[in-house]
Amino acid sequence: MLRWIRQQLGFDPPHQSDTRTVYVANRFPQHGHYIPQRFADNRIISSKYTIWNFVPKNLFEQFRRIANFYFLIIFLVQLMIDTPTSPVTSGLPLFFVITVTAIKQGYEDWLRHKADNEVNGAPVFVVRSGSLVQTRSKNIRVGDIVRVAKDETFPVDLVLLSSDRADGTCHITTASLDGETNLKTHYSVAETAECQSVTRLESLQAVVECQQPDADLYRFVGRMTVTQHGEEIVRPLGPENLLLRGARLKNTKEIFGVAIYTGMESKMALNYKCKSQKRSAVEKSMNTFLIIYLGILLFEAILSTILKYAWQAEEEWDEPFYNRKTEQERNSSPILKFISDFLAFLVLYNFIIPISLYVTVEMQKFLGSFFIGWDLDLYHEESDQKAQVNTSDLNEELGQVEYVFTDKTGTLTENEMHFRECSINGTKYREVNGKLVPEGMTDDAPDGSTPQLIGDELLFLKAVSLCHTVQISYDQPDLVGGGDPFSHANGFSSSHMEYYASSPDEKALVEAAKRIGVAFLGTSGDTMEIKTFGKSERYKLLHVLEFDANRRRMSVILQTPSGGYVLFTKGAESAILPFATGGEIEKTRLHVDEFALKGLRTLVIACRHFSPEEYIEVDRHLNAARTALQQREERLQEAFGYIERDLQLLGATGVEDKLQDKVQETIEALRLAGIKVWVLTGDKHETAVSVSLSCGHFHRTMNILELLQQRSDNECAEQLRILARRIKEDHVIQHGLVVDGASLSLALREHEKLFMEVCKNCSAVLCCRMAPLQKAKVVRLLKTSPEKPITLAIGDGANDVSMIQEAHVGIGIMGKEGRQAVRNSDYAIARFKFLAKLLLVHGHFYYIRIATLVQYFFYKNVCFITPQFLYQFFCLFSQQTLYDSVYLTLYNICFTSLPILVYSLFEQLVHPHVLQNKPGLYRDISKNSLLSFRTFLYWTLLGFCHAFIFFFGSYILMGEDTTLMGNGQMFGNWTFGTLVFTVMVITVTLKLALETHFWTWMNHFVTWGSIAFYFIFSLFYGGIIWPFLHTQDMYFVFVQLLSSGSAWFAIIIIVITCLFPDVVKKVFYRHLLPTSTQKSQSLSAPQAQALSCVESLCCYQHGQSGCSRLARLLEQITGQCQASTNHCHSSSRSNRWGGRQRQETIFMKPDESSAPLGFKNVGLQS
């Protein structure tokens, strides 16, 4: 009983075996001692909190932050001892920050609960008690038989039992899992495929044994034991038998499957990635500054405590006549009294630590991230995809990137393959008008004549048409089980069918073979049909040897129409040629290298013929490996190696992958911005170099160094030393390095420093033949080097995920290789060319905004607390507060919070056009320059200087004579404190106004509105006797202060004294020592004036802005802009129903000298 209780509480989880046994329809054995296994229910839980644990769990997470925990301690100290300020002064801001964060996180979690309830409550049909029963998704149990209809998603991970097709197959798409939109065929075992009705399924006796839940979408190991007529039949189960939760049923009326993995144990749920928290350089700087300010706080508190006791050493000040000690005070412990005084000073000065900094930064990041999605320059019209932000925590990191690691296929290229050339039996061919023409010959055959391909050429094309996993979608209605599976082929034409493939290469090759005359017509069950120049041929598909990254090849074993057995295989030349024993091996190798030099992607095709006896042995090997429950992968690899040998080489193909638009200009812009670009690809060396040259990654004038085909550590080290020597000796401005995966493994093993030294001296690095984990290792190598550069990884496929997660910033391309990269990235864009805008403009803006926000927060808090510290010298360190408690509480929450938030959302130091046209400006903010210790010191000292001026300026006015009223009435200490506070609020607000370069109506509203709010609030607060306040210290103080002309004069003089030196410094530096950014500001001024203040937030080069509706509304309210103004250099007309018509955008030619990505804009008028 005790053990059961411990298991329920999760302290003693039940022992789990390596496999699970599932009884189909939950028909458990009646004999023996069967102990049922416990499985998870089918509820999906993506939420973080429940209604019971929200408060404790959320509070625990929030108080893990140093600043929040610090203010909690201060608040508790104020409650426990007699402190100079009310506990409300610390408690209210803390409560505000905690509450705002809790509401935000609670709302986000409520949305997750809502989404979970929709999924868990979806209606499903299960087979129970001999009939179909409708229930909710969350009620499905492991072992239930579930019915899924066409276009529905699978509610659990199912093993397919049967479908409406006679052969028991079905088609699915896995777009929501991996983004692949092609149709995939899944199979049931022959013994269950005939159970197409509920009654047949009810009588089915079967047991599934399989592995425990695993996150790998493409791995499933199991076997099904079906009992028929008292005989047990064992069949292997693999990924092709498993229907994953989240996938969608297509081209199939209905299927029945048995639930294997439910709820949070389904593969989709196990792939909910809890990504490691990435922290930006700004956040790290912020934490460092907090620690420094904590040090300043402790220093001030200790100094004040020591000076208090030094002062009280004199007897007249220890116990003056007006403040006699009580007996208890005289007898109290000196140590306890010292600690109590120290804590009291700590409370008095605690506002030097800005608690509202965190919540302001969170709001700035969250709201600021919308600008990326709104930017129409990052919108791809062809695919209707806009940029998306998966995490807003790294916005400013986009402005700090020093290294970009990019994939090649699908990232730099379109991943749209076009067949160009092939080599058959040592002869090169190219496709001309749908015919294969040998190299050096022209196509002289008259149109319409049938090309005569015999022998090797025909066998090669048949191999291309049969060795693949391509699916076909027809325009006609779906087939039902009884029809002719190849009836579509009658009257065959290209308009009736479309090929779908998981690999663009496969699709391009099958389409090319079809154009030439060998057309793949489809698969039905285990039969594949092709039409060879009008003659139909059917092959029996016996086995598919799936592609994997280690073998780098895939194969099919077929039975030919004549009854023979043949293996067709295709793959990389390194995976095929070593196993080939016949054919023109050397000629084909040369042709493959030639294709690669042209930038073509190459595949090698081979075959092997089996005798009946050999095939029986092959079949036995494969079945033994596929039915193994232990070490199935290793046994399959051995079986594949046994089969894919002694190959007869047929030839090779060359497929072109076109470069994406503006890749060369983007790479050049990144280079001018001081960013080094590394290309990491799995392609072969020659192909990768060719693409690198064509996209501008390598220049023709660049000295290309090579680290290739190294066999040993010593050989690799020697080659690295030679390269390092060449870099020093060669007087070449730029070097490029090419390294392959094998050599990289050796270099990273024992020669990391030497390898890094060579890489850092190269302006471009190309790594080819890279495995996914090697990509991540290279990123980690750079990331952890002594310089700690900021890295960015960009890719589009599942093989780029590890690299994207390893880099400081990960960017996914919404390409044709699925959505894994996008799901695991921090940002997602549709094309590589958008990277320049993302970094050079958005990254620049985000960084300067948050850098100023952080330093301004520390500055205004130094201004706030230093007068409090100075005041202690004039009140015998009695811990008397200078400001009223309400002012202490509201300073950071109300009086100074909005101007900096609006500044951090809209500030633009330089116009966006100029930032794109001058990538060199990116260097000005690199290496966290705006948050360097020197800049931090400047802001801190400025805060101290301003605080001294506030305090002593007010003291000079009131120190000798406090009769500032015409009637001789005197002012007191609260008036002095209010004068200092008033000057401070005005000065810190105007200081931010001086830092603002880009003024919108919102900046004006919050800047002048904050000052006005302070005055109105103070008049209201001090003009009424509030019954709930135990003291009325501020009653009529502010009204009296404003009644004095001297006070007004003092306010004006002190504000000018503080800000005038700052203005002089800015003018001096701008005219005598201008930075490149300041020079660009003067260039961009006419353009900036021409753009609407609101619209230019997200309107840059093309078309309307992302917030144009908001802009038009605000401009109508403020009356700033004419309705006819053309802001975006485009004439965009709309019909009366809102339909967009053609846009006309006026551009001049690219400014090649200074603007790799920019355009000189004309017609810019307001």
Side-chain angles (χ1 to χ4, degrees), residues 595-661:
F595 294 162
L597 286 171
K598 294 176 184 177
L600 303 181
R601 291 165 63 87
T602 58
L603 282 173
V604 174
I605 314 287
C607 71
R608 179 184 175 187
H609 293 276
F610 298 112
S611 65
E613 294 77 17
E614 286 176 324
Y615 173 71
I616 290 169
E617 185 66 16
V618 163
D619 189 52
R620 189 183 62 78
H621 266 80
L622 276 174
N623 283 331
R626 281 180 167 151
T627 51
L629 276 182
Q630 304 297 328
Q631 297 182 322
R632 181 181 289 186
E633 280 82 4
E634 293 81 352
R635 295 182 67 174
L636 277 174
Q637 292 298 322
E638 289 175 17
F640 291 167
Y642 171 77
I643 297 163
E644 295 169 330
R645 58 189 176 90
D646 301 331
L647 301 174
Q648 178 73 23
L649 189 61
L650 296 177
T653 60
V655 175
E656 182 185 35
D657 190 3
K658 196 173 73 171
L659 274 180
Q660 283 189 20
D661 187 31

Side-chain angles (χ1 to χ4, degrees), residues 23 88 204 280 296 344 583 749 891 1098:
Y23 291 86
V88 175
L204 177 65
S280 69
I296 294 172
R749 194 183 300 166
Y891 176 74
C1098 20

Side-chain angles (χ1 to χ4, degrees), residues 703-742:
N703 183 21
I704 307 295
L705 309 172
E706 292 186 345
L707 182 67
L708 301 170
Q709 297 175 346
Q710 304 301 305
R711 304 291 180 201
S712 66
D713 281 338
N714 293 335
E715 189 182 339
C716 183
E718 183 58 34
Q719 182 64 17
L720 282 169
R721 291 189 195 99
I722 293 169
L723 295 179
R725 239 186 346 263
R726 280 184 60 187
I727 290 172
K728 287 179 184 175
E729 293 169 1
D730 289 358
H731 301 291
V732 178
I733 298 171
Q734 290 185 326
H735 297 275
L737 176 68
V738 184
V739 57
D740 62 10

